[in-house]
Amino acid sequence: MNPGRCAACRYLRRRCPPDCIFSPYFPPNNPQRFASIHRIYGASNVAKLLQQLPSHLRTQAADSLYLEAQYRIEDPVYGCVGLISLLQQQIHDVERQLAMTQAEIAFRARHPQAVESNLLNNVGNPSFSNQASPWFM
């Protein structure tokens, strides 16, 4: 094997021309990178895509294609959309938790006596839990 061939040309078992569109983005030391992309998108489609892009955007496109292909291989139904949905749900949950905490802080600032009396009334109560439950709900 010619050590100068890029991972794409090695995978496709062809000679790597000096002006190979794949060689800057698929080095020979990382053959799995091209294999994943080829499995999902196909070599011809990736070559067309890279050729249509301005040269300064090709590296980002190759990186993006690789990540999307990896997620599609791991989760054939949702791909990277599954991860995005999961992260959006986590953001929503944390925002809701933050809003509840801010409301509880605001309530305690406006009604310090109610908070104090509620604590005093529930001191001996075994079912009383001073966890994250707001006083006003």
Side-chain angles (χ1 to χ4, degrees), residues 52-95:
Q52 290 174 354
L53 288 173
S55 59
H56 69 279
L57 295 177
R58 290 178 183 171
T59 301
Q60 289 177 327
D63 292 342
S64 179
L65 287 171
Y66 173 65
L67 290 174
E68 290 179 25
Q70 282 298 108
Y71 284 115
R72 182 61 64 183
I73 290 167
E74 290 173 16
D75 185 356
V77 175
Y78 295 108
C80 63
V81 175
L83 177 63
I84 292 168
S85 297
L86 176 69
L87 292 173
Q88 284 177 335
Q89 183 61 43
Q90 288 177 355
I91 289 170
H92 175 72
D93 292 345
V94 169
E95 285 175 341

Side-chain angles (χ1 to χ4, degrees), residues 33-53:
R33 182 175 165 95
F34 180 77
S36 298
I37 290 175
H38 177 66
R39 180 176 170 187
I40 300 299
Y41 301 108
S44 177
N45 291 330
V46 174
K48 288 176 193 174
L49 180 94
L50 291 174
Q51 287 170 345
Q52 290 174 354
L53 288 173

Side-chain angles (χ1 to χ4, degrees), residues 122 124-130:
N122 291 308
N125 187 351
S127 65
F128 177 69
S129 171
N130 196 11

